[in-house]
Amino acid sequence: MLKLWGKKYEVEQNDDNVVIKAFGSSPKELFSNVVSALASFQKPAPRLAVIKTKSKIPLFIESMDLNTMLVDFLEEIIYMNETEQEVYHDIKFTTFDDNKIEARLMGLKVDQFDNHIKGVNFEKCNVKQVSPKKWEAEVVLDL
């Protein structure tokens, strides 16, 4: 079992899935921390060089609520990881509300990923506000 700990997230890998727990003072910060957690899990293999091409990829998501938006958000990023062969380590939001995101993902081209993700488990995704300035999300990704 692999465990990665950060101040803003936790990543725990099991045999067939990975659990990301992210924390933030707002939903916007929470989603940004999920991007960082995902990048820490998918990082390029240390034995392979990172191609030093930086990219900025536009991202547009519309969903009915924050839980669905997190699933859609992650599915889109995972799809772009594979099609663009990039790891996205940062995001700059231009619009963020309860059902819409417009942003730019910042990424690096890679030769190979350490870990490949098949998809997001919708039933095991939860975004919640635990106090006025504290948000948490837990999402399970299938490997």
Side-chain angles (χ1 to χ4, degrees):
M1 176 188 324
L2 169 70
K3 277 193 176 184
L4 300 172
W5 299 89
K7 292 181 181 181
K8 299 177 181 188
Y9 60 83
E10 299 171 5
V11 178
E12 184 176 338
Q13 181 179 351
N14 300 304
D15 290 337
D16 58 351
N17 64 40
V18 62
V19 178
I20 293 177
K21 294 178 183 176
F23 314 97
S25 61
S26 66
K28 183 177 175 179
E29 182 179 10
L30 186 69
F31 277 57
S32 181
N33 292 340
V34 168
V35 170
S36 298
L38 184 62
S40 75
F41 181 71
Q42 285 188 309
K43 68 188 179 299
R47 66 193 176 281
L48 298 171
V50 173
I51 301 167
K52 297 192 188 240
T53 305
K54 294 182 181 180
S55 68
K56 294 181 181 178
I57 304 291
L59 178 72
F60 303 97
I61 304 290
E62 285 191 76
S63 299
M64 63 180 149
D65 57 36
L66 284 174
N67 280 341
T68 307
M69 191 159 64
L70 181 58
V71 171
D72 294 344
F73 177 75
L74 285 169
E75 285 180 343
E76 185 66 18
I77 292 172
I78 292 165
Y79 171 77
M80 291 190 307
N81 286 137
E82 295 295 325
T83 59
E84 301 294 328
Q85 197 66 28
E86 294 179 336
V87 171
Y88 301 106
H89 54 83
D90 196 12
I91 189 164
K92 303 293 182 210
F93 295 101
T94 53
T95 301
F96 191 105
D97 60 37
D98 289 346
N99 62 357
K100 184 178 180 181
I101 293 174
E102 293 181 23
R104 285 191 129 5
L105 287 167
M106 312 313 164
L108 296 170
K109 293 273 187 195
V110 295
D111 290 332
Q112 184 176 336
F113 298 102
D114 280 354
N115 299 291
H116 287 274
I117 297 170
K118 292 180 184 174
V120 182
N121 188 319
F122 182 79
E123 289 79 26
K124 295 183 180 174
C125 177
N126 186 28
V127 177
K128 63 183 175 183
Q129 185 174 14
V130 294
S131 68
K133 293 219 175 214
K134 187 174 181 184
W135 287 78
E136 293 180 0
E138 182 172 313
V139 62
V140 175
L141 306 174
D142 298 324
L143 301 178

